[in-house]
Amino acid sequence: MTSPYNPQITEAKWQKIWAEKECFKAVEDSDRPKYFVMSMFPYPSGRIHMGHVRNYTLSDVVARYKRAQGFNVLHPMGWDAFGLPAENAARDKGVHPSTWTHENIATMRRELDSMGLALDWSREVTTCDPSYYQHQQKLFLDFLKADLVYRKESWVNWDPVDHTVLANEQVIDGKGWRSGAVVEKRKLSQWFLKITDYAEELLNGLKSLDRWPDKVRLMQENWIGKSEGIEFSFQISGGGLPENSKLPVYTTRADTIMGTSFAVLAPEHPYALRLADSHPDIAAFIEDCKKMDTTEASLEKMEKKGIHTPYTVLHPLTGESLPVYIGNFVLYGYGTGAIKSAPAHDQRDFDFATRYGLPIRPVITGSDVKEGEPYAKKGIVINSGPELDGLTSDAAISKVIRMMESKGIGQGRVNFRLRDWGVSRQRYWGCPIPIIHCESCGVVPVPEKDLPVTLPEDVTFDTPGNPLDHHPTWKHVSCPSCGKPARRETDTCDTFVDSSWYYARYCSAKDTTQPVDKNKADYWLPVDQYVGGVEHAILHLLYARFFARALQHTGHISVTEPFTGLFTQGMVCHESYKGADGAWLYPEQVTKNPDGRAVKSADGSPVTVLRGDKMSKSKCNVVDPSKIIAGYGADTARLFMLSDSPPERDLEWTESGIEGGWRYVNRLWKLAEETAERGATETPNEKAAQTQRVIHRTIAQVSDSYERFHFNSAVAKIRELSNALEGLNAQNPSESGILREGVETLTQLIAPMLPHVAEEMWERLGHKTLLIETPWPKANPALLVENSVTIAIQVNGKLRATLTLPRDVQGTEVEAAALAQESVQRALDNKPPKKKIYVPNKVLNIVA
RNA sequence: GCCCCAGUGGUGGAAUGGUAGACGCGGCAGACUCAAAAUCUGCUAUCUGCAAGGAUGUGGGGGUUCAAGUCCCUCCUGGGGCACCA
């Protein structure tokens, strides 16, 4: 008699036991190999969503698998708890950011607990807690001492809705990446971290990250954007410039130097700005560009516009006098803010020259040059004088650099697209920057004994702007250096700072004396496997890599790369439904007819079904994980997350898929129930012996799938094993022993994915010890070798027969057997075989 | 515009250059049932054939190879990233 499987009771039971026995508490142990696996910690927005479930299931499977393999596993969790939504909630609902955040954390903690994750909660970090951010303040001061922090006046992207400054990379299409508000330009004093000091290292380090997706490495490489070129100066005159003025420009295509027919300044270039007073048309153009820049810079069809200036420059090699323009397509922030043109070899220069009737002189040629189009590829130099003509572009680039260097007018230079990281935010809910501004002493770091600088509790959000700035007393302090009245820095840190070192903090999360206990960090770091969304491919991961180098430089940790393995999972998607009126509909508002067409339940009007839409509230296609876990249990939810798609791809949530998972969990339980009391050993019959081979083959295949993150394949192999085991009879003494071996193995193999039901099955099978404490099964090599093999027989590469023959049979025997086959003879059509290729135990191809 | 990734049955997807479609979802048929649900069993790429079998088939076209979903070239479609980056 079998008893039904009840996930609610069983899952709570094992979660309690694991917690009581502190199964997942990680303790440094130099005798055992360590394995550090972590997921990207969540922002406590309120509830967990399916994306979290997928993310944490993946890292949990790795943690449990590695643990069974004998590794000392660290699998921690924390909260990325500072950030703007808490302030927005304060503004909208009148709840304090701290209250809102901690309530969300409590809710999400309960939800995570219900998933049955093998997490070491004793190392929980919460970035908004002074016990975390006081150490971040210490790091800030250390970085300041190490000359990795500086302050500069700069034009910043001001978000008028969030009242905050955005990094360049946080501005998307001229709008704030969070608020969506049109970004304005303002000039503010900002704190910056010198990530550019490590540009070269961050680029080179990518080569060593062989367990990162190529895609992410490539994205980072492009983001860092190294280019090698030359910086040289034009002699510039006119427009009231002093004698011997220089205009430095940067180019990567020195080979096109003889094709240069004009120079262009960025609108913000000082030489451009100084003309504005005397030339109203130029002033107007510059004003225009400012607007374009902030709002529509990324618009595809923006015209290359410019304005002529009274300046002229001298060509550095020919001495020819060339006109100078101000152009809307030249970026002040890149290179020197001015360019030499190569109108025949650059689309932008070409468009500009065409528009303003400037000479276009081809100086590079190639086999695929097209009339009337710029040729931007490298090729062979022409029309450039005896010294350069006939050289390849690369040879010409080196030669031009040498020529200019010897004349003292230019120098080879490496340039990066990467910019320093502005970390100042004019917000309340962030880590206070531990600085005091004194009128006499200037910028004074807060003495370490005075850390942490904590956020004041009594703040109001009824006025826009930074509550720290509005606070009546908080910012007024005396200067630690001279004692006179001074003012606290009211900027707080970008939350990307919080998440740039939490992996190191996990190593000694409760240490009150220092950010990182180096001994412990030396044991655990680097993170062996990091799992998270690809949306963090550039910013978070680059900042964290920079921090590792900065932490190493300031003596906190020893490693250079924080994450040696990275896995980026796909999104969770779900069908969405759009009514005839264009409004999104909830699944329960839609009826699917037998013919496959969907209609609105209320009035029968047609509904468009869209597949593969990311779950989002606005599209009404969100599935709540807590409801799924409450209904089917965490194991079923976890199984669905793993079984239907490879983890790096997007996953389509389907109701039928989750039900398939639920059915399988029940089949497993039934299998354990039926097997539990059996297991007498007797000589296995043929079927049982065959099944035993399947068992051991499955151990090998599933282990391999776990190693390679092919969890969907692991599930498929495991299901094959259960199909085979269901073919055995528990009542038959010649089969029951192998059946039991199979069910035990099966239980172990599914345990990383379905930990609760596996543990329950293990107990039901009569074990007194926990499955979580049981080592991973080993495949018996003797049972991995089949006695007979199926060999494919091809004629001219086409399959004509399959032969089952003893393993390692002679090729000549296979040939003889193959030629005896009628189907082979028919395919040969009396033609004599010309050639035979035999791949032992696999395939014989007869070429006729 | 540039860079990257993907394209396999009705569907999600398997497949170190060696028997394409594992495993699941769905569907069909059957068993159990008064009936339904649940469960179990079988079948399920397409075309052709009574059948045995044959032909076709991994987005299109070409190529390399004894052998291509897999490698190369090219084009198409979809997705992602970057973008006046000189």
Side-chain angles (χ1 to χ4, degrees):
Chain A
M1 192 59 203
T2 59
S3 51
Y5 179 68
N6 183 323
Q8 286 75 29
I9 292 172
T10 305
E11 292 185 353
K13 167 182 161 187
W14 292 107
Q15 284 163 15
K16 189 158 169 262
I17 290 171
W18 294 328
E20 279 170 2
K21 296 193 179 250
E22 297 189 321
C23 287
F24 309 123
K25 189 167 175 162
V27 179
E28 297 75 28
D29 176 358
S30 55
D31 292 337
R32 288 167 66 205
K34 65 92 186 179
Y35 196 88
F36 188 174
V37 52
M38 60 185 263
S39 284
M40 291 180 183
F41 64 169
Y43 178 78
S45 55
R47 308 283 303 269
I48 64 167
H49 54 70
M50 281 298 174
H52 293 129
V53 175
R54 194 175 196 199
N55 192 176
Y56 307 143
T57 300
L58 292 171
S59 64
D60 199 54
V61 169
V62 174
R64 288 173 178 272
Y65 170 69
K66 289 290 173 181
R67 188 194 155 84
Q69 293 231 309
F71 287 92
N72 188 19
V73 170
L74 171 56
H75 184 213
M77 185 53 83
W79 308 98
D80 189 13
F82 271 136
L84 206 57
E87 283 189 54
N88 291 340
R91 214 160 268 131
D92 300 344
K93 296 172 196 158
V95 53
H96 193 277
S98 172
T99 313
W100 184 83
T101 303
H102 283 100
E103 279 172 4
N104 287 347
I105 288 174
T107 306
M108 290 172 74
R109 170 70 196 270
R110 268 197 309 280
E111 291 178 318
L112 289 187
D113 281 343
S114 76
M115 283 182 65
L117 301 169
L119 291 167
D120 179 359
W121 282 105
S122 75
R123 293 169 185 263
E124 179 178 10
V125 298
T126 306
T127 59
C128 67
D129 195 323
S131 68
Y132 184 84
Y133 72 68
Q134 69 171 17
H135 301 295
Q136 188 162 308
Q137 292 172 340
K138 160 83 165 111
L139 294 179
F140 187 92
L141 297 177
D142 285 354
F143 289 4
L144 190 66
K145 267 185 241 150
D147 202 23
L148 288 167
V149 182
Y150 66 101
R151 196 167 157 77
K152 77 173 171 190
E153 275 262 296
S154 64
W155 286 102
V156 294
N157 303 305
W158 178 257
D159 187 316
V161 170
D162 288 346
H163 294 276
T164 188
V165 174
L166 301 173
N168 282 313
E169 51 267 37
Q170 291 169 328
V171 179
I172 295 156
D173 292 338
K175 291 174 183 144
W177 75 313
R178 279 201 161 125
S179 72
V182 171
V183 170
E184 299 165 3
K185 282 195 163 181
R186 283 202 187 182
K187 208 165 199 179
L188 284 178
S189 255
Q190 300 283 305
W191 290 100
F192 283 81
L193 296 186
K194 276 193 193 165
I195 190 170
T196 55
D197 274 9
Y198 291 91
E200 187 81 54
E201 268 200 55
L202 287 166
L203 182 65
N204 288 334
L206 292 171
K207 291 190 199 101
S208 69
L209 298 175
D210 57 335
R211 290 194 301 117
W212 277 42
D214 291 341
K215 185 168 106 173
V216 174
R217 288 194 288 180
L218 194 74
M219 280 160 75
Q220 292 217 346
E221 194 181 315
N222 291 338
W223 190 262
I224 294 166
K226 181 179 178 175
S227 68
E228 291 175 67
I230 181 169
E231 184 175 321
F232 70 87
S233 291
F234 285 112
Q235 289 280 349
I236 184 168
S237 56
L241 283 173
E243 276 302 292
N244 273 329
S245 290
K246 307 255 193 248
L247 175 66
V249 295
Y250 174 77
T251 181
T252 53
R253 290 299 299 274
D255 55 325
T256 63
I257 186 71
M258 299 307 277
T260 294
S261 55
F262 56 97
V264 191
L265 306 173
E268 302 95 329
H269 197 284
Y271 286 171
L273 295 175
R274 64 189 292 285
L275 292 173
D277 289 341
S278 48
H279 297 74
D281 52 338
I282 290 179
F285 179 77
I286 293 172
E287 271 312 302
D288 250 20
C289 287
K290 257 190 195 167
K291 269 183 233 152
M292 301 278 278
D293 233 2
T294 49
T295 60
E296 288 176 288
S298 59
L299 280 190
E300 212 161 286
K301 285 185 180 168
M302 176 178 153
E303 276 186 279
K304 317 291 176 281
K305 279 195 219 158
I307 190 162
H308 189 251
T309 70
Y311 300 134
T312 53
V313 292
L314 298 182
H315 191 287
L317 298 181
T318 67
E320 186 189 358
S321 179
L322 306 173
V324 178
Y325 284 76
I326 300 166
N328 62 357
F329 65 100
V330 177
L331 296 176
Y332 187 58
Y334 184 80
T336 62
I339 62 156
K340 75 152 198 23
S341 63
H345 307 291
D346 181 284
Q347 185 70 50
R348 295 157 299 175
D349 296 357
F350 179 85
D351 293 347
F352 193 83
T354 309
R355 187 181 175 105
Y356 294 104
L358 297 160
I360 298 171
R361 298 176 199 143
V363 290
I364 304 290
T365 192
S367 57
D368 49 351
V369 171
K370 285 188 194 122
E371 193 66 31
E373 278 181 37
Y375 186 72
K377 290 188 223 172
K378 289 185 174 177
I380 305 294
V381 178
I382 52 168
N383 302 331
S384 297
E387 286 194 87
L388 297 174
D389 278 353
L391 295 178
T392 62
S393 285
D394 287 328
I397 288 170
S398 313
K399 190 156 188 183
V400 169
I401 292 175
R402 279 203 308 276
M403 285 160 65
M404 287 195 171
E405 281 180 344
S406 67
K407 288 188 183 178
I409 50 174
Q411 205 169 12
R413 192 183 123 181
V414 170
N415 206 35
F416 291 95
R417 176 187 180 275
L418 183 71
R419 292 171 201 159
D420 275 336
W421 175 15
V423 295
S424 285
R425 296 293 180 271
Q426 290 64 44
R427 286 183 200 159
Y428 167 71
W429 198 232
C431 168
I433 292 175
I435 294 290
I436 289 164
H437 299 278
C438 170
E439 285 204 9
S440 333
C441 311
V443 169
V444 182
V446 171
E448 285 185 20
K449 66 174 173 54
D450 293 343
L451 295 182
V453 178
T454 52
L455 291 167
E457 295 273 329
D458 50 332
V459 282
T460 52
F461 293 90
D462 36 26
T463 35
N466 186 355
L468 291 179
D469 215 25
H470 303 151
H471 193 277
T473 57
W474 185 79
K475 68 178 174 185
H476 302 293
V477 288
S478 48
C479 172
S481 168
C482 69
K484 282 190 230 160
R487 177 178 67 76
R488 269 194 202 289
E489 173 64 68
T490 55
D491 284 355
T492 51
C493 281
D494 179 5
T495 56
F496 275 118
V497 176
D498 311 341
S499 54
S500 291
W501 68 284
Y502 75 119
Y503 54 88
R505 182 65 185 166
Y506 278 142
C507 299
S508 54
K510 303 300 169 193
D511 194 322
T512 53
T513 62
Q514 55 187 337
V516 184
D517 179 332
K518 193 154 183 267
N519 286 327
K520 292 185 173 176
D522 283 349
Y523 177 75
W524 291 115
L525 291 179
V527 176
D528 298 282
Q529 188 64 59
Y530 195 28
V531 185
V534 73
E535 65 273 20
H536 291 114
I538 299 176
L539 298 181
H540 163 58
L541 289 167
L542 194 65
Y543 293 151
R545 294 181 60 225
F546 158 63
F547 248 73
R549 286 161 174 80
L551 289 169
Q552 187 191 51
H553 182 69
T554 50
H556 291 283
I557 62 174
S558 305
V559 299
T560 309
E561 288 293 344
F563 314 118
T564 49
L566 172 71
F567 190 88
T568 53
Q569 97 248 6
M571 295 184 300
V572 182
C573 298
H574 190 210
E575 275 186 351
S576 58
Y577 310 101
K578 208 171 199 173
D581 55 356
W584 296 101
L585 299 168
Y586 288 98
E588 51 271 24
Q589 293 175 283
V590 175
T591 308
K592 282 189 182 166
N593 289 334
D595 62 1
R597 297 235 311 276
V599 296
K600 197 168 168 181
S601 313
D603 57 14
S605 63
V607 167
T608 314
V609 179
L610 295 136
R611 300 207 67 177
D613 261 358
K614 185 184 180 179
M615 282 190 185
S616 76
K617 279 179 191 158
S618 62
K619 290 187 174 175
C620 304
N621 65 342
V622 172
V623 177
D624 179 4
S626 5
K627 281 190 190 152
I628 298 299
I629 292 172
Y632 295 98
D635 283 339
T636 299
R638 292 167 62 116
L639 179 61
F640 180 76
M641 288 291 138
L642 298 164
S643 64
D644 254 38
S645 288
E648 69 277 11
R649 273 203 232 170
D650 287 353
L651 170 70
E652 180 92 15
W653 176 272
T654 59
E655 189 63 27
S656 53
I658 194 81
E659 277 174 8
W662 169 240
R663 276 201 296 274
Y664 185 62
V665 169
N666 280 285
R667 267 175 65 193
L668 284 169
W669 173 242
K670 215 170 95 185
L671 203 53
E673 284 272 89
E674 286 170 359
T675 316
E677 316 301 336
R678 313 280 163 184
T681 12
E682 197 174 286
T683 312
N685 61 22
E686 179 55 32
K687 186 158 89 178
Q690 270 307 320
T691 306
Q692 195 179 26
R693 292 177 184 283
V694 175
I695 292 168
H696 286 263
R697 200 173 63 218
T698 306
I699 294 173
Q701 289 172 335
V702 169
S703 305
D704 185 56
S705 293
Y706 274 125
E707 294 287 349
R708 295 193 292 155
F709 264 76
H710 290 188
F711 302 129
N712 57 325
S713 296
V715 172
K717 301 292 179 211
I718 288 171
R719 290 185 101 123
E720 279 185 79
L721 176 59
S722 26
N723 289 345
L725 294 175
E726 279 168 347
L728 295 182
N729 184 356
Q731 313 295 330
N732 182 342
S734 305
E735 296 182 359
S736 62
I738 300 297
L739 176 60
R740 191 187 167 85
E741 182 189 342
V743 174
E744 294 214 341
T745 304
L746 181 65
T747 305
Q748 290 179 278
L749 294 179
I750 55 150
M753 300 192 264
L754 309 179
H756 310 90
V757 71
E759 199 73 74
E760 184 75 10
M761 286 164 73
W762 195 248
E763 185 187 59
R764 188 69 189 86
L765 289 165
H767 292 277
K768 303 294 178 215
T769 53
L770 291 180
L771 177 55
I772 191 68
E773 307 292 0
T774 307
W776 195 246
K778 284 196 179 66
N780 179 353
L783 291 171
L784 292 176
V785 183
E786 292 291 338
N787 296 327
S788 65
V789 288
T790 305
I791 296 169
I793 309 300
Q794 298 177 336
V795 178
N796 293 328
K798 282 197 177 180
L799 183 73
R800 293 298 170 187
T802 55
L803 295 175
T804 301
L805 295 167
R807 193 185 160 73
D808 295 331
V809 66
Q810 288 293 311
T812 48
E813 285 181 49
V814 180
E815 284 168 26
L819 290 170
Q821 292 286 309
E822 196 198 318
S823 57
V824 173
Q825 283 301 329
R826 204 181 320 125
L828 281 171
D829 196 21
N830 292 325
K831 281 179 288 219
K834 275 189 213 141
K835 195 172 168 185
K836 302 179 194 102
I837 293 100
Y838 178 57
V839 182
N841 301 318
K842 277 194 177 155
V843 65
L844 170 71
N845 191 9
I846 301 167
V847 186

